[in-house]
Amino acid sequence: MKIDTICYEEKALVSMLYLASDMACKNKIKNIPTKYFSSLVQSFIKKYKTYEMKNLSVDSLLEENEYKSFLAEAFELPVVVLEENIDKYTKVLENRYYKNCIIELANTPNELIKEKINELHLEVVKENDKSIKVADIKDLENLFYESLEENEVVKTGKFRLDKYLKFTKRDLHIIGARPGVGKSAFALYIALMMAQFSRGLFFSLEMPLKQIAQRIISNQTRIELDKLTNKEKFKELTADEKELVNVLFKKLLRKSNLILYDGNFKIDELEEYIKNEKEINGLDYIVVDYLQLIKSNINSKRYEQITDVSIKLKQIAKDYDIAVIALSQLSREIEKRADKDIYLADFRESGQIEQDASTILGLTTEPTTTEYKELMKVQILKNRQGQLGVMKYEYYKKNQTFFEV
C-alpha cells in the first residue's frame, strides 16, 4: 500500500521526534508501523533509525534536499509533545491506512476480492496481537512445506551442531554454565560461525566491546589471548602473527554479518535495537550474554523479574522471526557434585526459562592430560527439534578455540 500525500499528523509526529526530551515518547513514535506513513516519511523514519544505530547525528537529515520541504513545514507546526497526542495522531494514520486498503479492495478484480479480504483480515488480527498466528486448515500443505525451508534454521556450518542442535527461528535457545567455564567464548564461537551465513546481533551485558574484540581476534587467528590484551604485548608478536591479524580484519569486514553491542540493557531497550535492525537491514539471530543481567520492566522479586525477561525473549523470537540465543548463569549446586553434571533444575531463579526454551545446553569443563586445553562437555538437556545427549569439545582457553572430539 503506497501513500503519497503527507498529512498534518505525520508532520506533527516527525516534529515531536526532534522536540521530545523523553525517550519513551521518542520510542513510541519510532514504534509506529512504518506502513502507516506516506512513502517519503517512511524513507525519512528509516534513515533516522539508521543514523541513531550508527551513532550519527540525526540533525544532518535536516539538510538533505529530499526532506527539506516537508521538514520545514513540520517544524512550523505548534505541536505539544504528549503521549496522548502521539496516540491520537497514530490513530488518524492507522485509519487512513485502512481506508486506503478498502479503496484498493474496491478496485480489485472480482476473482481476487475474496483473497484480498482474507489478507486484510489476517493483517488486522496479527497487528492487534502479535502473539497470535492465524492459518486456515486448508493451508496445512503450505504450512508444512514452509516449515521444511532452510531459512527456518540459523546454520553454523558445523555438521554436528547443525545436525543435533537446530537453532530454529521464532525460538529461544539457552546456554547455561557456571562462571569461568567458557560460556561467553562458546557463544561467541557459535555467533561467529552463524555470521558467515546469516545476520546477527551480539549483546554483551558483561564484557566491554574491547574485550570481545580481543577474544574474536584470538579465536580467529589462534594467537594467545594474553598477547592481545595491551600494546606492549602486541609489539612482541611475530611479523607472521601481525599479518594474520591484518588479514583477519579484511576477512571479517568482508564476510561476517555480526553487530556487537555492550551495555546495561532493559528488555524493552533490547527489543528496540532488534526491531530497528530487523526493519532496516534484516536479522536472523541474536545472542545475549547473559539473561540474568537484562533489566526487567517490572519492579518485583528477582524470580518474577527473570520470569518476565524469559517470557519477553521468547516473544521477541516469535515477533521478529529470529533465533534468540541467551546465556544463563547456573546454580552453585553443580560444584557440590562429584560428576559436575547439569540438570534443568540448576537454571537459576526461574523455572520459566525451562518452559520457554526450545533448546537448553549445559556446559561443563574438566582438565585433560595436556595443560593448555580442557575438555568441554555440552549437555543437550532439552531439544524440541532433536535428541538429547552430550557433545564434547577440546577447549583451548588461551586462544578461545573449540574443536569437536
Side-chain angles (χ1 to χ4, degrees), residues 190-203:
I190 288 174
L192 288 169
M193 289 189 296
M194 286 179 168
Q196 302 302 311
F197 308 96
S198 310
R199 186 170 184 83
L201 304 179
F202 190 101
F203 294 96

Side-chain angles (χ1 to χ4, degrees), residues 72-230:
E73 294 174 12
F75 293 134
E76 287 178 3
L77 299 177
V79 298
V80 180
V81 182
L82 293 172
E83 286 202 30
E84 61 192 63
N85 286 341
I86 296 171
D87 291 336
K88 181 173 70 176
Y89 296 153
T90 302
K91 193 65 183 174
V92 171
L93 297 183
E94 181 185 21
N95 289 340
R96 179 184 67 168
Y97 172 79
Y98 283 111
K99 279 180 182 177
N100 280 318
C101 286
I102 293 169
I103 293 169
E104 186 181 64
L105 187 63
N107 295 320
T108 300
N110 290 342
E111 64 272 16
L112 297 176
I113 282 182
K114 188 175 181 181
E115 183 183 337
K116 278 285 185 182
I117 290 172
N118 285 336
E119 286 177 7
L120 187 57
H121 173 254
L122 292 178
E123 185 179 341
V124 173
V125 169
K126 284 190 279 187
E127 191 167 297
N128 287 340
D129 189 343
K130 288 182 181 179
S131 67
I132 293 175
K133 288 288 177 182
V134 183
D136 193 312
I137 193 67
K138 292 190 287 295
D139 292 330
L140 190 61
E141 180 182 357
N142 290 334
L143 283 171
F144 172 69
Y145 285 113
E146 281 177 16
S147 72
L148 299 179
E149 291 294 321
E150 286 187 358
N151 63 3
E152 291 294 320
V153 176
V154 183
K155 293 190 173 183
T156 65
K158 294 292 183 181
F159 175 77
R160 281 207 300 176
L161 271 175
D162 291 337
K163 180 179 179 181
Y164 298 112
L165 294 174
K166 292 179 172 60
F167 291 103
T168 45
K169 291 184 178 182
R170 298 175 54 79
D171 282 325
L172 174 61
H173 309 274
I174 298 291
I175 300 174
R178 288 290 297 148
V181 167
K183 63 180 180 296
S184 296
F186 189 72
L188 200 52
Y189 163 69
I190 288 174
L192 288 169
M193 289 189 296
M194 286 179 168
Q196 302 302 311
F197 308 96
S198 310
R199 186 170 184 83
L201 304 179
F202 190 101
F203 294 96
S204 174
L205 289 87
E206 188 173 35
M207 278 190 298
L209 288 179
K210 289 179 182 178
Q211 288 183 21
I212 296 172
Q214 291 166 356
R215 286 175 176 236
I216 290 174
I217 295 166
S218 180
N219 170 278
Q220 297 288 298
T221 62
R222 301 185 189 177
I223 298 171
E224 290 184 10
L225 181 60
D226 187 54
K227 294 180 180 180
L228 302 168
T229 54
N230 64 55

Side-chain angles (χ1 to χ4, degrees), residues 172-175 183 203 205-206 265 267 270 287-296 302-303 305-314 324-329 347-350 352-354 356-357:
L172 174 61
H173 309 274
I174 298 291
I175 300 174
K183 63 180 180 296
F203 294 96
L205 289 87
E206 188 173 35
F265 298 99
I267 188 64
L270 208 69
V287 178
V288 181
D289 183 12
Y290 57 91
L291 186 149
Q292 284 85 355
L293 291 179
I294 302 173
K295 295 175 183 176
S296 168
R302 184 64 177 157
Y303 177 92
Q305 290 179 341
I306 298 299
T307 295
D308 175 63
V309 169
S310 178
I311 291 171
K312 292 284 176 57
L313 286 175
K314 172 67 175 176
V324 174
I325 302 167
L327 277 59
S328 178
Q329 200 76 279
F347 285 80
R348 297 175 62 187
E349 298 169 307
S350 175
Q352 189 70 37
I353 296 173
E354 179 186 348
D356 291 331

